[in-house]
Amino acid sequence: MRVLSIQSHVAYGHVGNSAAVFPLQRLGHEVWPVLTVNFSNHTGYGAWRGPLIAAEDVAAVITGIGERGAFASCDAVLSGYQGSPEIADVIVDAVVQVKAANPAATYTCDPVMGNATSGCFVNPAIPPKYRSTVIPVADVLTPNQFELGFITDRESLSGASSLEDILAAADEVRGLGPATVLVTSVVRAGAPEDVIEMIAVTGDGAWLVATPRLPMKANGSGDITAALFTAHLDDTASPAGALARTASSVFAVLKATLDSGERELRLVAAQDAIASPDCEFVVERVR
């Protein structure tokens, strides 16, 4: 698979393309990274250096890739943190160009906006652009539960929620365009407190997987999840299979990070689990 990945970049640590590119390459995929920011480190440190990349410069890089005739062989577009609302239009234009050259190509949007702990941490103009411009052209959407609630105006999803409410919100989002919705960081009412869940929802059903909840905060875990789910869904054509593989690899990366005592994800240390996931967690069909 060949992936056009339009995301942020950090020199130190692993978020955005700095989290997505290596796992995709370790699975044997070709990745064309396009940067929306070029920061020294992720913003969770409270201080960072480096520029937001202007939308016209991001567009110029994408145009240059297209001029090489690459879009006809592009299998997927992947986007994450956008940096500015203008980037949304650049991403949508890239998706249109890629799909014109290869109608079989898919677009995975990770709508990075915030989380239940921090709230919405992006430019306030970005969420409306997701709803009006980006989500309608996405084939796969990978929000965390908080972002799913933000997109659908369901404030209750910022806390423990029923499976029915989560599925209803996912169906609402699917009605906007995406065929597949992967909800991450699920906090389901009635679930054991020592697990965290993900739910994949399509028109054919819904599947849930639970992994142990680790005592850590891991910047970049959502970026890895979106990248791996995109790759595994393309490879298996099975939401359940993609969910099992993704959950296994992401948990292995997080566990390696926790065991190391380091703050940044241990992608290289856990690369074997990325390349050959054990699929040790049971995926349950819930609809």
Side-chain angles (χ1 to χ4, degrees):
M1 184 170 71
R2 295 178 178 180
V3 183
L4 176 65
S5 184
I6 309 169
Q7 302 195 55
S8 61
H9 169 81
V10 295
Y12 177 79
H14 299 290
V15 300
N17 267 332
S18 304
V21 172
F22 175 72
L24 288 170
Q25 291 174 329
R26 190 64 180 82
L27 287 171
H29 303 298
E30 187 73 30
V31 188
W32 307 326
V34 177
L35 314 186
T36 57
V37 309
N38 188 19
F39 288 166
S40 55
N41 50 269
H42 65 70
T43 59
Y45 285 96
W48 63 94
R49 295 181 183 272
L52 283 169
I53 298 176
E56 56 267 29
D57 292 330
V58 177
V61 173
I62 295 170
T63 297
I65 296 171
E67 288 170 346
R68 306 286 75 76
F71 291 161
S73 65
C74 181
D75 300 295
V77 179
L78 173 65
S79 73
Y81 179 72
Q82 297 189 6
S84 69
E86 292 78 17
I87 295 294
D89 296 316
V90 174
I91 291 171
V92 169
D93 185 60
V95 172
V96 170
Q97 291 184 62
V98 168
K99 289 194 172 190
N102 178 15
T106 62
Y107 168 42
T108 296
C109 171
D110 182 11
V112 179
M113 291 184 287
N115 55 58
T117 301
S118 305
C120 186
F121 51 62
V122 298
N123 183 321
I126 290 177
K129 290 290 286 188
Y130 273 122
R131 283 189 288 256
S132 66
T133 305
V134 183
I135 292 174
V137 302
D139 298 287
V140 180
L141 193 75
T142 64
N144 61 39
Q145 183 173 307
F146 170 84
E147 290 163 341
L148 179 65
F150 204 84
I151 293 166
T152 58
D153 292 320
R154 297 169 186 254
E155 292 185 11
S156 61
L157 291 186
S158 61
S161 304
S162 69
L163 177 62
E164 292 74 19
D165 286 347
I166 297 167
L167 293 179
D171 287 338
E172 183 178 334
V173 169
R174 288 197 312 108
L176 298 177
T180 301
V181 175
L182 174 67
V183 188
T184 65
S185 299
V186 169
V187 182
R188 183 171 55 91
E193 292 185 1
D194 60 349
V195 305
I196 191 162
E197 299 174 332
M198 292 194 292
I199 301 175
V201 185
T202 73
D204 296 324
W207 297 263
L208 179 149
V209 66
T211 57
R213 182 184 294 273
L214 298 174
M216 62 185 297
K217 177 182 178 181
N219 295 90
S221 57
D223 304 318
I224 302 172
T225 299
L228 291 178
F229 187 75
T230 298
H232 291 315
L233 189 61
D234 179 83
D235 183 47
T236 66
S238 164
L243 188 59
R245 294 185 184 187
T246 301
S248 179
S249 293
V250 172
F251 178 78
V253 170
L254 295 179
K255 184 65 165 58
T257 304
L258 180 64
D259 290 347
S260 74
E262 298 284 343
R263 176 171 180 171
E264 297 295 338
L265 295 174
R266 301 291 93 186
L267 291 183
V268 175
Q271 63 178 291
D272 290 343
I274 293 171
S276 302
D278 291 334
C279 297
E280 69 268 42
F281 301 110
V282 175
V283 173
E284 174 188 2
R285 184 164 191 149
V286 293
R287 188 172 70 187

